[in-house]
Amino acid sequence: MTTPSSTMQRPAPANLPPLSAPAREHRDATAAHLRAAIAANGGWLPFDHWMAEALYAPGLGYYAAGNVKLADGEDDTKAPAGDFVTAPQLTPLFARTIARQVAQVLAQTQTQDVLEFGAGTGALAEGVLRELDALGLPQTRYLILEVSADLRARQAARLAPFGDRVQWLDALPHAFAGCVLANEVLDAMPVSLFSWDAAGAVQERGVALDADGGFVWADRPASPALASAVAARMPALPAYVSEINLQGEAWIAAMGGWLERGAALLVDYGFPRSEYYHPQRAGGTLMCHLRHHAHGDPFAAPGLQDITAHVDFTAMADAALEHGLQVLGYTSQARFLMNAGLMDLLAQLDPSDAQQYAQAVAPVQKLLSEAEMGELFKVLAVGRGMTAPLTGFSRGDRLGKL
């Protein structure tokens, strides 16, 4: 057994909404599972393992327990359900714009398949398929790889009108040609946490238990592999805490083995490495979401809350290049959507009905605003066999900043 260092602390308490009795029961059951996992690992669990259990443990984890996870975004007169709202739920114009980029990929590669990872409520799939139909591509087949049985059932109900054009996969394909979509997927992959100690050594942050059985942070010397990966990305900064998404990089690396021809559009919040590991970002980017309350305590409501970290897009681009993929473009969500045709779709709206027009435009402003999703969210495209530039990156491409 490796003994953690004496650095043990609780995160700052989160100010969360009250939980119902069933929610508290589920939280307690998930916490008991996590305590057992810590005990089985000798009293200390690396955070990426803890995060994986908190999110994906069968019947308990946030994405595996049948909870209502995503707000419907359809009724602004009351507090939305779920824990957060994604771009496809804000407005169908997001999916319609993505579909236009998908259509270019399919045309360039002479393929008919779309593969979406983590399809959420199915809003993106529905919008993309409807727009592809409108663009004259009714033969498109839509594949979904979804780890949540609850969300898969919701997707099946929503996408039933498309019949067998929509299919669900239980594992990564051995080979695929077409367009891959991953909207807010990388941020939900379990990350390793690290810190630098006063001597300039990398520590791995894990989870232990205090005398009362509560979860606490506990650091121990990082493995040579983790220490090397961290040291290659940033200088030693004592007391600096951040994340590294090695699972995300492995996912991109695996794509280099199964993506035979086509492009993957990866939409998520994050930064290039120079910004991700900026000296002023000394506390990292780990964030939790519970009923539209964002906070920094992953221990507060295990099994009930989402746990995410921003994406180091430089690392994802490097993983793509190292495994034979092209890096096709990188830009802000706002610039990508405008390049891909969002403004043309907006121009089709009828402004004579002022109220309806305002309701349609308001969520688009959130997608594009630098103060909201427009700048925080980025789009990275990687692929193989692509011979012409993608329209989504025709202006404002930031590949040089990666």
Side-chain angles (χ1 to χ4, degrees), residues 244-271:
I244 184 168
N245 190 348
L246 298 177
Q247 292 194 31
E249 294 171 42
W251 181 71
I252 298 288
M255 189 184 298
W258 56 259
L259 182 59
E260 295 182 327
R261 187 171 78 261
L265 304 177
L266 314 176
V267 186
D268 228 311
Y269 40 88
F271 315 99

Side-chain angles (χ1 to χ4, degrees), residues 23 61 66 230 240 371 402:
V230 171
Y240 193 98
L402 288 177

Side-chain angles (χ1 to χ4, degrees), residues 62-121:
Y62 177 76
Y63 284 106
N67 295 314
V68 178
K69 302 165 188 69
L70 308 173
D72 54 29
E74 295 174 352
D75 186 353
D76 293 331
T77 65
K78 63 181 181 180
D83 301 307
F84 52 87
V85 179
T86 62
Q89 297 165 280
L90 281 174
T91 169
L93 292 175
F94 178 84
R96 293 182 64 191
T97 306
I98 294 292
R100 295 189 165 207
Q101 182 64 91
V102 171
Q104 184 197 6
V105 173
L106 298 182
Q108 190 177 143
T109 57
Q110 294 296 296
T111 56
Q112 300 181 3
D113 287 353
V114 178
L115 169 59
E116 184 181 1
F117 286 83
T121 63

Side-chain angles (χ1 to χ4, degrees), residues 15-21 23-24 27 290-291 293 304:
N15 183 20
L16 299 178
L19 301 177
S20 66
R24 292 195 301 272
R27 175 201 62 193
L290 175 66
R291 296 295 183 265
H293 288 252
L304 299 178

